[in-house]
Amino acid sequence: VSDRERIAVALGGRSYDILVGDGLIGEAGAHLRALAATRLVVVTDANVASLHLARLEQSLAVAALRHDTIVLPPGERTKDFAPYQHLVEAILGLGIDRGTLILALGGGVIGDLAGFAAATLLRGIGYVQLPTTLLAQVDSSVGGKTAINTSHGKNLVGAFHQPRLVLADTGVLATLPPRELRAGYAEVVKYGLIGDAAFFDWLDGAGEALLAGDPQAQRRAIAVSCAAKARIVAADERESGERALLNFGHTFGHALEAETGFSDALLHGEAVAIGMSLAFAYAAAKGLCPARDAARVRAHLERLDLPASAGRFANIATPASLVQHMMKDKKTRDGRLTFILPRRIGEAVIAPDVAAGEIRDFLAAALRG
Ligand SMILES: NC(=O)c1ccc[n+]([C@@H]2O[C@H](COP(=O)([O-])OP(=O)(O)OC[C@H]3O[C@@H](n4cnc5c(N)ncnc54)[C@H](O)[C@@H]3O)[C@@H](O)[C@H]2O)c1
Ligand SMILES: [Zn+2]
């Protein structure tokens, strides 16, 4: 049995592979040689550099791949305009050409920023994702969405630009703070809830082992998640339809994140966990999905120490303020709220025309616990 999973993202001339397994960073040189880059520029953050950069550089050296490394400060602020400008100027200062390959070693912040730099440098050069958070391994490194933040909101300046390869090394998850691991796990659960009831059943049993660091459970969960995302992205690369299913739990979640100022008070994955639980509760209240499924989802999240209710936000958010955030979302059109609603565990649909008043009434009850 191989201890590597390979998932193909089928996008014609822009197709690429995702490899999942323990130790892939140490083998990166061998995988990268096949891409025949003229030179490599590693972009990473200081946390990841201190823990995992040496192994990558060693592997590039063994493969005789010439590279430079740029280390940025960790944190969401690194996706602002100023660090973006600093990064592209620094890369241009190296004297790159169109055969240069950017290697994004880090979480979603580094992946989004380095991916956007690759999309825009010389009107587009190649890049490879080496995701180091669970969230990045199951979500942000796959699918080609790259972006930076603006004063008007997150991810509002960006481009679709697919990577040439994704190497998801499960070994690096051992150094990830447990809270970050759990937050990424919420996105794993999402794939089960929107399209794969058997996967959710498996997670209901294997979730604890995964979070405790079991490499087999992690490899399987990441591979199944990437395969689900790859299938959806291949069918709808630019989100004109089905790709919107990936926003399950995110409309409620983003509103809560906005109310907490996108701070450490609420990590993205934690917001998604609450959002998924609320989407199930709302659908159950409307008779669109079985109440026992809603209860099961909430129980699963709470058992794995993820938040699953909005009660603790009653002091800082009102139903009206949350709905206002939803209306500002770049995915709303003509003031209509689009929600992804579950029909049962394993099936979700796009509901493009949900009345704001109904959501407000539901949230009034949800904020009470
Ligand atoms: N492009 C997409 O499709 C997409 C999808 C989802 C999220 N995102 C973006 O991803 C970003 C969030 O990504 P994230 O949650 O990975 O956050 P992150 O990149 O900020 O990483 C979280 C923290 O963990 C540290 N870290 C990373 N890997 C580590 C490791 N192996 N060991 C120890 N520490 C490690 C980082 O330095 C950082 O402090 C957001 O900006 C979001 O907009 C993009
Ligand atoms: Zn998300």
Side-chain angles (χ1 to χ4, degrees), residues 237-274:
E237 186 178 8
R238 292 185 170 240
E239 198 169 316
S240 49
E242 190 190 0
R243 187 164 180 170
L245 290 174
L246 297 172
N247 298 326
F248 179 61
H250 282 59
T251 307
F252 286 122
H254 277 159
L256 293 170
E257 284 184 278
E259 284 292 336
T260 47
F262 295 95
S263 69
D264 286 351
L266 183 68
L267 299 180
H268 173 72
E270 294 168 342
V272 170
I274 298 170

Side-chain angles (χ1 to χ4, degrees), residues 335-357:
R336 298 293 190 188
L337 291 175
T338 295
F339 269 84
I340 314 304
L341 293 179
R343 304 196 47 185
R344 62 180 70 85
I345 288 173
E347 184 184 352
V349 294
I350 301 169
D353 197 7
V354 177

Side-chain angles (χ1 to χ4, degrees), residues 45 47 76 79 107-109 112 132-133 135 140 145 155 172 175:
D45 76 28
N47 291 339
E76 186 70 28
K79 273 175 68 177
V109 165
D112 277 16
T132 62
T133 63
L135 178 124
S140 61
K145 282 191 183 176
N155 298 327
V172 302
T175 62

Side-chain angles (χ1 to χ4, degrees), residues 60-201:
L60 299 179
V62 168
L65 289 167
R66 181 168 161 227
H67 74 277
D68 294 279
T69 299
I70 297 174
V71 181
L72 303 171
E76 186 70 28
R77 295 301 303 270
T78 291
K79 273 175 68 177
D80 285 351
F81 268 103
Y84 164 75
Q85 179 179 4
H86 164 85
L87 175 62
V88 291
E89 297 277 11
I91 294 173
L92 290 167
L94 298 171
I96 62 164
D97 61 35
R98 304 207 70 251
T100 299
L101 202 57
I102 307 283
L103 307 186
L105 174 71
V109 165
I110 290 296
D112 277 16
L113 173 72
F116 185 59
T120 48
L121 278 164
L122 310 182
R123 299 199 181 84
I125 62 175
Y127 75 113
V128 168
Q129 293 275 20
L130 298 148
T132 62
T133 63
L134 183 57
L135 178 124
Q137 295 191 348
V138 300
D139 189 0
S140 61
S141 69
V142 174
K145 282 191 183 176
T146 72
I148 57 174
N149 298 331
T150 77
S151 63
H152 294 275
K154 279 186 46 157
N155 298 327
L156 292 181
V157 171
F160 285 98
H161 188 52
Q162 300 291 342
R164 302 270 311 276
L165 176 69
V166 180
L167 299 176
D169 183 343
T170 56
V172 302
L173 300 178
T175 62
L176 196 61
R179 190 178 167 206
E180 295 281 352
L181 189 67
R182 266 200 305 281
Y185 176 78
E187 303 275 6
V188 173
V189 172
K190 180 184 78 179
Y191 294 109
L193 296 180
I194 63 173
D196 190 342
F199 183 47
F200 180 80
D201 286 345

